[in-house]
Amino acid sequence: MLIASYNPSGMGDNLIVLTNQSTNFNVNHAGDVVQFIGDNDELIGYNFINISQSLDLSNVSGQVFLSSEQVEKLNTLIKKAGFTQELVIDDDPKFVVGYVEKAEPHPDSDHLQVTTTVVDNDERVQIVSGSPNMQQGIKVVVAKVGAMMPSGLIIWPGELRGVSSDGMIVSGRELRLPNAPQVPGALILPDDFAPVGTPFDVNSTAAQSLFK
């Protein structure tokens, strides 16, 4: 997993790269590289200070989708700082067209449902959803583990009331699509929108015109 964020107006000239979720970590600082290490020497991520000296991020604000060349440059900075745990590129799409194959009541909630959602031809994930319009047999947009929502929220593996949930079935409002209803509810895609597993680009013409 590789989640990168650059927001010069809010964070200064710093690139934050996360590889794991943890609330307990140690901080190691060498030059312009800050390393975050969790339990058992697990890499949590890096903060690259004065990143504009190494990468051109002048047109970026928010999530950064790092190329293999950019990851290689970051790993060079990591080595120069004396750290050994390198970054591995993650080019798996994090927002995809999904299909709710099954939706069942949560055993400990009267408003949550436990879904089995297809996110690729041979990949299914369990996602707990509170959307009032959730049902089986619909096409949806899935934010997979490792996705960063427009709000900055990162989707991590988790659980809701004791049931594991790996991902999030999102609404048009959460994706900040034009004219999306400002009420809770999953974005239900037309059956012919795109095949299951297709990356969902919020800036595409098809996505931008869903609520027109």
Side-chain angles (χ1 to χ4, degrees), residues 62-63 95 148-153 170 172-177 202:
Q63 186 170 13
F95 291 90
M148 179 183 289
M149 299 295 293
S151 65
L153 173 71
V170 299
R173 176 183 62 171
E174 290 165 329
L175 292 172
R176 297 182 179 174
L177 291 175
V202 69

Short mmCIF file of all heavy atoms in Angstrom, two decimals, residues 62-63 95 148-153 170 172-177 202:
data_model
loop_
_atom_site.label_atom_id
_atom_site.label_comp_id
_atom_site.label_asym_id
_atom_site.label_seq_id
_atom_site.Cartn_x
_atom_site.Cartn_y
_atom_site.Cartn_z
N GLY A 62 -3.27 17.62 -2.70
CA GLY A 62 -4.08 16.48 -2.24
C GLY A 62 -3.33 15.18 -2.50
O GLY A 62 -2.12 15.11 -2.34
N GLN A 63 -4.08 14.16 -2.90
CA GLN A 63 -3.45 12.86 -3.12
C GLN A 63 -2.51 12.90 -4.32
O GLN A 63 -2.81 13.53 -5.34
CB GLN A 63 -4.49 11.77 -3.33
CG GLN A 63 -3.88 10.37 -3.42
CD GLN A 63 -4.93 9.27 -3.38
OE1 GLN A 63 -6.12 9.53 -3.52
NE2 GLN A 63 -4.49 8.05 -3.19
N PHE A 95 -10.32 3.27 -6.62
CA PHE A 95 -11.75 3.49 -6.82
C PHE A 95 -12.17 2.69 -8.04
O PHE A 95 -11.65 2.91 -9.14
CB PHE A 95 -12.07 4.98 -7.03
CG PHE A 95 -11.87 5.83 -5.81
CD1 PHE A 95 -10.65 6.43 -5.55
CD2 PHE A 95 -12.91 6.01 -4.91
CE1 PHE A 95 -10.46 7.20 -4.42
CE2 PHE A 95 -12.74 6.80 -3.76
CZ PHE A 95 -11.51 7.39 -3.52
N MET A 148 -7.93 7.28 -0.90
CA MET A 148 -8.09 8.54 -0.19
C MET A 148 -9.31 9.26 -0.75
O MET A 148 -9.37 9.56 -1.94
CB MET A 148 -6.84 9.42 -0.33
CG MET A 148 -6.98 10.75 0.39
SD MET A 148 -5.55 11.86 0.17
CE MET A 148 -4.31 11.00 1.14
N MET A 149 -10.27 9.52 0.12
CA MET A 149 -11.48 10.21 -0.29
C MET A 149 -11.17 11.69 -0.56
O MET A 149 -10.17 12.22 -0.08
CB MET A 149 -12.54 10.08 0.79
CG MET A 149 -12.96 8.65 1.09
SD MET A 149 -13.79 7.87 -0.30
CE MET A 149 -15.29 8.84 -0.38
N PRO A 150 -12.03 12.38 -1.34
CA PRO A 150 -11.82 13.81 -1.57
C PRO A 150 -11.70 14.61 -0.29
O PRO A 150 -11.03 15.66 -0.27
CB PRO A 150 -13.07 14.21 -2.38
CG PRO A 150 -13.46 12.96 -3.09
CD PRO A 150 -13.15 11.84 -2.14
N SER A 151 -12.30 14.14 0.79
CA SER A 151 -12.21 14.84 2.07
C SER A 151 -10.86 14.66 2.75
O SER A 151 -10.55 15.35 3.72
CB SER A 151 -13.29 14.31 3.02
OG SER A 151 -13.06 12.94 3.34
N GLY A 152 -10.04 13.73 2.23
CA GLY A 152 -8.76 13.40 2.86
C GLY A 152 -8.82 12.15 3.71
O GLY A 152 -7.78 11.66 4.17
N LEU A 153 -10.03 11.62 3.94
CA LEU A 153 -10.18 10.37 4.70
C LEU A 153 -9.52 9.23 3.95
O LEU A 153 -9.73 9.05 2.75
CB LEU A 153 -11.66 10.06 4.91
CG LEU A 153 -12.00 8.70 5.53
CD1 LEU A 153 -11.60 8.69 7.00
CD2 LEU A 153 -13.49 8.39 5.36
N VAL A 170 -19.37 4.00 -1.73
CA VAL A 170 -19.45 5.45 -1.54
C VAL A 170 -20.65 6.07 -2.24
O VAL A 170 -21.26 5.48 -3.13
CB VAL A 170 -18.14 6.13 -2.02
CG1 VAL A 170 -16.95 5.62 -1.22
CG2 VAL A 170 -17.91 5.87 -3.51
N GLY A 172 -22.38 9.66 -4.16
CA GLY A 172 -21.98 10.77 -5.02
C GLY A 172 -21.57 11.98 -4.23
O GLY A 172 -20.66 12.72 -4.61
N ARG A 173 -22.23 12.19 -3.09
CA ARG A 173 -21.87 13.30 -2.21
C ARG A 173 -20.44 13.13 -1.69
O ARG A 173 -19.66 14.09 -1.68
CB ARG A 173 -22.84 13.37 -1.04
CG ARG A 173 -22.51 14.43 0.00
CD ARG A 173 -23.49 14.39 1.16
NE ARG A 173 -23.45 13.13 1.88
CZ ARG A 173 -24.08 12.90 3.03
NH1 ARG A 173 -24.80 13.86 3.57
NH2 ARG A 173 -24.00 11.74 3.63
N GLU A 174 -20.08 11.93 -1.26
CA GLU A 174 -18.74 11.68 -0.73
C GLU A 174 -17.68 11.82 -1.81
O GLU A 174 -16.54 12.19 -1.52
CB GLU A 174 -18.69 10.29 -0.10
CG GLU A 174 -19.49 10.19 1.19
CD GLU A 174 -19.75 8.78 1.62
OE1 GLU A 174 -19.87 7.88 0.74
OE2 GLU A 174 -19.86 8.53 2.83
N LEU A 175 -18.05 11.55 -3.06
CA LEU A 175 -17.12 11.73 -4.18
C LEU A 175 -17.11 13.16 -4.69
O LEU A 175 -16.31 13.50 -5.56
CB LEU A 175 -17.49 10.78 -5.32
CG LEU A 175 -17.30 9.29 -5.05
CD1 LEU A 175 -17.89 8.47 -6.19
CD2 LEU A 175 -15.83 8.96 -4.87
N ARG A 176 -18.02 13.98 -4.14
CA ARG A 176 -18.15 15.39 -4.53
C ARG A 176 -18.45 15.55 -6.02
O ARG A 176 -17.89 16.43 -6.70
CB ARG A 176 -16.90 16.18 -4.13
CG ARG A 176 -16.70 16.20 -2.61
CD ARG A 176 -15.51 17.02 -2.18
NE ARG A 176 -15.39 17.02 -0.71
CZ ARG A 176 -14.38 17.56 -0.04
NH1 ARG A 176 -13.39 18.14 -0.70
NH2 ARG A 176 -14.34 17.51 1.27
N LEU A 177 -19.33 14.69 -6.51
CA LEU A 177 -19.76 14.79 -7.90
C LEU A 177 -20.76 15.94 -8.05
O LEU A 177 -21.56 16.20 -7.15
CB LEU A 177 -20.41 13.48 -8.34
CG LEU A 177 -19.47 12.28 -8.46
CD1 LEU A 177 -20.25 11.01 -8.77
CD2 LEU A 177 -18.40 12.52 -9.53
N VAL A 202 -13.26 10.01 -11.01
CA VAL A 202 -14.26 10.99 -10.62
C VAL A 202 -14.28 12.19 -11.56
O VAL A 202 -15.30 12.89 -11.69
CB VAL A 202 -14.03 11.45 -9.16
CG1 VAL A 202 -12.77 12.27 -9.05
CG2 VAL A 202 -15.22 12.20 -8.61
#
